[in-house]
């Protein structure tokens, strides 16, 4: 079983600030997905990263996959209250995604 | 049109009761899942099904019995409910078991056992 760590556990920032959350493991991932879960809802897929060193952008969100495919980060520029939620990473696995414990992000207006 | 719908949204019941949660997906996906999210927001796989066949049972007590009448439906029946079963249960689906295109989750069923 691969150990997946997400950090920080909680993050509270003011609107307009930038933030980065991390997903790390001692194992190599074939691919990794990031999800955001808003209160009272299920997680929603944001991105899948596949290639080591890959960078993907989704508006103000930038996802990076480590060269060795053991880690990933999510950077949000000029955060807005709508970015509030639980950010989860999950390495791919046949017939199951094993999620990290998540980072709870709160963006204050 | 809701892609993955689960009912009910809230369920409050007494210890020892039996309850069911229903899930349906209209995406034409082959694979469906049940996840449990505890009070610390940790999301853990319980079961996965592919085309109505059980693929993964992640050491879930046999009080939990999933049933898939067809590939668009995956229901969860729980017998003899215990306090520790209180959690939010999520149904999800994916195109296939590799989930290359990700999972689509329902909005969850909050189960409270009193």
């Amino acid at each position: 079983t691969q150990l997946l760590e997400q950090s920080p556990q909680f993050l509270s920032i003011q609107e307009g600030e930038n933030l980065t959350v991390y997903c790390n493991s001692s194992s190599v991932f074939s691919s990794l997905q990031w999800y955001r879960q808003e209160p009272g809802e299920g997680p929603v897929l944001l991105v899948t990263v596949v290639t080591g060193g890959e960078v993907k952008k989704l508006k103000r969100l930038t996802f990076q996959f480590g060269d060795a495919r053991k880690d990933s980060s999510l950077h949000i520029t000029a955060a807005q209250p709508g970015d509030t939620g639980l950010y989860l990473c999950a390495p791919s696995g046949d017939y199951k995604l094993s999620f990290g414990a998540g980072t709870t992000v709160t963006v204050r207006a | 049109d809701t892609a993955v719908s689960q009912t009910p949204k809230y369920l409050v019941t007494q210890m020892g009761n039996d309850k069911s949660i229903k899930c349906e997906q209209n995406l034409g996906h082959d694979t469906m899942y049940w996840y449990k999210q505890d009070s610390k927001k940790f999301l853990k796989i319980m079961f996965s099904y592919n085309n109505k066949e059980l693929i993964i049972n992640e050491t879930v007590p046999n009080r939990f019995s999933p049933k898939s009448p067809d590939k668009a439906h995956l229901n969860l029946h729980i017998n003899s409910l215990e306090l520790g079963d209180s959690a939010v249960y999520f149904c999800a689906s994916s195109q296939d078991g590799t989930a290359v295109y990700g999972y689509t989750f329902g909005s969850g069923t909050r189960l409270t056992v009193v």
Side-chain angles (χ1 to χ4, degrees):
Chain A
T1 305
Q2 57 195 355
L3 185 61
L4 193 64
E5 291 186 3
Q6 288 194 246
S7 60
Q9 189 178 356
F10 299 97
L11 193 54
S12 180
I13 60 169
Q14 200 69 34
E15 181 176 4
E17 293 180 342
N18 301 334
L19 69 97
T20 303
V21 298
Y22 301 91
C23 177
N24 296 289
S25 174
S26 55
S27 303
V28 175
F29 307 136
S30 57
S31 65
L32 184 130
Q33 297 180 348
W34 283 93
Y35 290 76
R36 177 170 64 214
Q37 183 180 14
E38 297 181 10
E41 297 296 328
V44 174
L45 178 69
L46 295 174
V47 79
T48 302
V49 286
V50 179
T51 307
E54 182 177 8
V55 176
K56 280 192 174 179
K57 293 197 173 187
L58 188 67
K59 296 184 182 177
R60 292 175 296 98
L61 278 59
T62 302
F63 302 85
Q64 190 156 3
F65 201 15
D67 290 341
R69 291 186 287 127
K70 292 184 177 183
D71 56 272
S72 181
S73 63
L74 157 58
H75 182 79
I76 303 179
T77 304
Q80 299 175 1
D83 296 324
T84 292
L86 176 67
Y87 288 82
L88 297 160
C89 67
S92 61
D94 283 347
Y95 298 103
K96 72 174 184 182
L97 285 180
S98 298
F99 289 88
T103 295
T104 299
V105 172
T106 304
V107 183
R108 303 185 305 275
Chain B
D1 238 7
T2 305
V4 178
S5 58
Q6 50 182 113
T7 55
K9 178 113 177 127
Y10 300 97
L11 192 49
V12 181
T13 188
Q14 291 189 324
M15 272 195 310
N17 283 352
D18 304 338
K19 289 293 177 187
S20 291
I21 307 171
K22 294 187 174 183
C23 179
E24 175 182 5
Q25 54 97 2
N26 63 5
L27 298 166
H29 287 170
D30 286 343
T31 313
M32 295 186 72
Y33 311 84
W34 278 109
Y35 276 80
K36 178 180 180 180
Q37 188 169 47
D38 62 23
S39 57
K40 294 186 177 176
K41 304 295 186 188
F42 186 63
L43 198 59
K44 185 170 168 31
I45 181 79
M46 298 174 69
F47 301 102
S48 65
Y49 270 72
N50 190 66
N51 275 317
K52 306 189 300 177
E53 299 299 321
L54 176 67
I55 303 296
I56 285 179
N57 176 342
E58 197 76 356
T59 61
V60 179
N62 58 14
R63 297 184 296 105
F64 291 78
S65 50
K67 281 191 172 52
S68 183
D70 54 63
K71 77 172 194 177
H73 295 83
L74 181 61
N75 304 321
L76 184 64
H77 187 76
I78 315 170
N79 290 325
S80 304
L81 277 154
E82 300 177 355
L83 292 176
D85 297 331
S86 294
V88 182
Y89 292 84
F90 286 98
C91 177
S93 71
S94 63
Q95 190 165 349
D96 57 35
T98 67
V100 168
Y101 301 106
Y103 284 16
T104 302
F105 281 85
S107 56
T109 295
R110 180 174 294 277
L111 172 65
T112 304
V113 183
V114 297

